Amino acid sequence: MRTLRINKQENEFVIEHVNSFGHGTKRFFITENGLKEGLDAYAPVIGEYELEVSEELWGFVLNYVGSSNFQ
């Protein structure tokens, strides 16, 4: 299964997409709004991913993905 790893590194938000072969790419965001936009890119296929979210961002990501604003 593909994985999205979402965390914060050195004051930047990171979404790491790891494919089924274990290869990953990272996208970095400076603001929470940028992170939301990054998550929106996965909205049509979010069910195909296992989410691994840092404890620090768990509540934020869970609330956003479960909201009507998640596109």
Side-chain angles (χ1 to χ4, degrees), residues 17-60:
H17 167 223
V18 181
N19 66 22
S20 56
F21 300 107
H23 298 279
T25 58
K26 290 183 180 181
R27 294 177 58 201
F28 296 86
F29 306 92
I30 297 171
T31 65
E32 287 182 353
N33 284 335
L35 176 60
K36 288 178 182 179
E37 291 175 7
L39 290 170
D40 285 341
Y42 292 95
V45 293
I46 197 76
E48 299 174 17
Y49 287 85
E50 178 180 327
L51 296 179
E52 293 181 7
V53 184
S54 69
E55 189 174 319
E56 176 183 13
L57 295 177
W58 180 251
F60 175 80

Side-chain angles (χ1 to χ4, degrees), residues 4-9 12-14 35 51-62:
L4 285 182
R5 294 182 182 144
I6 304 164
N7 57 58
K8 195 169 184 181
Q9 297 176 0
E12 291 185 317
F13 300 98
V14 180
L35 176 60
L51 296 179
E52 293 181 7
V53 184
S54 69
E55 189 174 319
E56 176 183 13
L57 295 177
W58 180 251
F60 175 80
V61 171
L62 187 63

